[in-house]
Amino acid sequence: MQTESVTPAELKTTREALGLSSEWVAEVGGVTVRSVRHWESGNGVVPDDVASILDELAAAARGHVESQLAVPAGGPVTLLRFRDQDTLRAVTGLSWPAPTHAIAQLRVVDGLRALNVAARLIWFNPDEYDRWAATAAEASPEAWAGHQPWDHQP
């Protein structure tokens, strides 16, 4: 999405592709939900700062996917999904909305599978991780994910 002359369709499509609610856009943009819906319906001009916020998040998500796909993976690969923003931030340091991270992770899984690498996405469980980390020599969320059993053979 470009920040110049963002169309209503571009705004809504970008927001939806990133898994964002109108409420989230309104909050970070410092406007009302009504304003966001107004812009998406074609009434009014999307402010550059709002378009830039979505543009930056979309670029960060693309960069995440590209960086994950650039790492040679022998497979199988297990990626993590987080149930809430606080856990995502605590574990990864990312300030993205959890749905945006989930969509990016799914794109990585799809990209790995397209390269014939077995890949999956699982829920991060903080309680299970803490129990596992207490006994693991080198604990990290990624290592924990790799130790989770596959429900089926990859």
Side-chain angles (χ1 to χ4, degrees):
M1 185 172 77
Q2 301 176 23
T3 56
E4 301 98 30
S5 304
V6 173
T7 68
E10 289 170 334
L11 175 66
K12 186 168 185 173
T13 302
T14 301
R15 178 183 62 76
E16 290 176 342
L18 293 171
L20 304 172
S21 67
S22 297
E23 292 79 9
W24 186 89
V25 174
E27 183 179 325
V28 301
V31 299
T32 65
V33 173
R34 184 175 179 198
S35 292
V36 175
R37 291 185 181 141
H38 195 72
W39 302 328
E40 289 182 348
S41 68
N43 299 310
V45 177
V46 179
D48 286 343
D49 60 333
V50 172
S52 291
I53 290 167
L54 293 180
D55 230 12
E56 290 167 13
L57 185 56
R62 273 192 309 277
H64 172 77
V65 173
E66 291 167 3
S67 70
Q68 294 294 307
L69 293 176
V71 176
V77 175
T78 300
L79 297 173
L80 297 173
R81 172 146 188 214
F82 299 89
R83 294 186 190 274
D84 60 73
Q85 180 64 42
D86 293 337
T87 306
L88 171 66
R89 185 177 307 224
V91 173
T92 68
L94 292 173
S95 59
W96 303 356
T100 303
H101 182 260
I103 290 167
Q105 292 289 74
L106 186 58
R107 289 180 183 154
V108 173
V109 168
D110 288 344
L112 289 170
R113 288 177 180 166
L115 297 170
N116 294 316
V117 175
R120 66 182 177 160
L121 185 63
I122 65 169
W123 289 110
F124 178 73
N125 184 315
D127 295 332
E128 285 182 19
Y129 172 75
D130 289 343
R131 284 192 296 275
W132 175 83
T135 62
E138 292 186 35
S140 72
E142 294 77 17
W144 174 82
H147 281 86
Q148 300 308 301
W150 285 73
D151 294 335
H152 58 82
Q153 290 296 321

